[in-house]
Amino acid sequence: MSVTVYSKTHTLRWPIVDDKGQPLTALNIHTLSLRTVRELRAEYGLVDGASDGASDAVLMKFEKALLLRSTGLSDSEYLRLCVPDYNSILRHVRAMVNGKAEPFLAEQAMAQGKKVAEVDPDAPVLLVPVEDKFKGRVSQIAIQPPTVHLQQEARKHTDPFQQTLVIVSTCTELDFDALLDMHMPDWNTLTERVTDFLSETADFFPTSTAND
């Protein structure tokens, strides 16, 4: 399956020489899928995304792995980066892994000379479309609130991530593979809305959400 990515360019303030001896003046930093980030977390014992109890050394190695995967840099090229450029790149990587899709969609629209669309939290547009085995290519998702029955069924899973996956899959009608292939800004957008449904009272949501 062909999956696109969202990327942005960072121009190096202090260019480096790549492993082939060529000048490297800019880097494309791209989004990562949920599947990729979970695989990297597993390497460093952070499967559920929890950093509590992890040593600073482990967290630094994990962030380095994210940066290398997001940029395509080799270890030696990474070490040649000047620290201010490294700081800038790491900030972008963190935003792409931990942030939501909305600011990236806005940047994308402005870069294309388009009007920034109003965000519907219950029908978010995906930054990176995914392929669902039943629906085909999906570029926008309708999110429905979970039922009490679904919440109780999900709690039967001991793995917190599996609980989340079951709930998000049911609320979006997307299969597990499509969710795992989802890129992190889109996944973060979905899980934040589902968390709202699970934790907030009815008056938190506008009438349109309740009636749709």
Side-chain angles (χ1 to χ4, degrees):
M1 179 184 66
S2 176
V3 178
T4 57
V5 298
Y6 171 85
S7 65
K8 63 193 311 177
T9 301
H10 170 72
T11 301
L12 294 176
R13 175 64 179 80
W14 289 271
I16 64 172
V17 175
D18 67 17
D19 289 341
K20 297 179 180 179
Q22 300 299 313
L24 186 60
T25 59
L27 291 176
N28 286 323
I29 308 166
H30 62 79
T31 52
L32 299 173
S33 69
L34 173 62
R35 189 189 305 275
T36 297
V37 172
R38 283 190 60 76
E39 288 172 354
L40 291 175
R41 282 173 174 157
E43 287 186 33
Y44 298 98
L46 304 169
V47 173
D48 293 319
S51 58
D52 293 345
S55 68
D56 289 343
V58 169
L59 293 176
M60 288 181 65
K61 288 178 181 178
F62 173 59
E63 286 203 320
K64 176 186 175 183
L66 291 174
L67 188 150
L68 295 183
R69 191 67 64 91
S70 297
T71 61
L73 286 173
S74 67
D75 278 318
S76 56
E77 291 166 340
Y78 165 85
L79 292 172
R80 293 186 199 115
L81 291 172
C82 287
V83 173
D85 278 319
Y86 163 80
N87 290 337
S88 295
I89 295 164
L90 185 58
R91 182 185 62 194
H92 289 310
V93 171
R94 286 172 173 169
M96 288 181 174
V97 171
N98 301 317
K100 298 196 300 179
E102 184 177 350
F104 300 116
L105 288 166
E107 284 182 11
Q108 193 175 64
M110 289 187 290
Q112 296 171 353
K114 298 179 180 178
K115 182 180 178 180
V116 178
E118 186 175 346
V119 176
D120 182 348
D122 298 320
V125 173
L126 296 182
L127 182 66
V128 181
V130 294
E131 293 284 340
D132 181 272
K133 62 183 177 183
F134 299 111
K135 295 185 175 184
R137 189 173 179 82
V138 178
S139 58
Q140 187 171 12
I141 296 174
I143 310 174
Q144 296 296 324
T147 64
V148 173
H149 174 71
L150 172 59
Q151 186 179 43
Q152 291 178 346
E153 288 297 306
R155 285 173 176 167
K156 293 178 181 179
H157 296 276
T158 57
D159 178 12
F161 177 74
Q162 191 67 24
Q163 293 178 9
T164 301
L165 201 61
V166 167
I167 292 175
V168 175
S169 176
T170 304
C171 291
T172 61
E173 297 184 339
L174 292 176
D175 66 58
F176 286 2
D177 282 334
L179 292 176
L180 289 168
D181 287 333
M182 191 167 284
H183 282 226
M184 290 304 298
D186 292 320
W187 172 254
N188 294 335
T189 297
L190 294 190
T191 54
E192 180 176 278
R193 191 55 169 174
V194 169
T195 298
D196 287 342
F197 283 136
L198 292 170
S199 61
E200 299 291 349
T201 55
D203 56 3
F204 174 85
F205 305 94
T207 304
S208 59
T209 298
N211 291 338
D212 286 347

